[in-house]
Amino acid sequence: MAVMGVFVPFVAIVGAVRLARPGSWWSKRFYRRRHRARARSRLRTYRHDRRWTKVRRRFQDLIGGFQERVSGPGSAPP
């Protein structure tokens, strides 16, 4: 967002005021006592990850090739 914000100022404003991800330094530092902001951050992250995880995985498979996923560490192939 910062790079795009150099060319499009509106993008920079959106990037400056959007909520931080729950595990980020920004979240730990500034949302420590702001419970409502922390809850909104968690909800936004959950929705974002749910929406884009499949798309991101498909793109990665397109670039790197599909690899069968194994259910867990040390599990035997079927």
Side-chain angles (χ1 to χ4, degrees), residues 7-19:
F7 302 108
V8 184
F10 180 73
V11 174
I13 293 169
V14 170
V17 297
R18 69 175 238 185
L19 293 171

Side-chain angles (χ1 to χ4, degrees), residues 6-46:
V6 171
F7 302 108
V8 184
F10 180 73
V11 174
I13 293 169
V14 170
V17 297
R18 69 175 238 185
L19 293 171
R21 290 185 73 88
S24 70
W25 175 85
W26 185 268
S27 175
K28 290 176 185 176
R29 172 110 166 106
F30 293 104
Y31 296 166
R32 186 174 300 149
R33 295 187 183 108
R34 297 175 56 202
H35 303 291
R36 208 179 263 171
R38 201 172 354 159
R40 285 187 358 214
S41 171
R42 284 191 196 117
L43 182 61
R44 183 186 63 86
T45 300
Y46 170 75

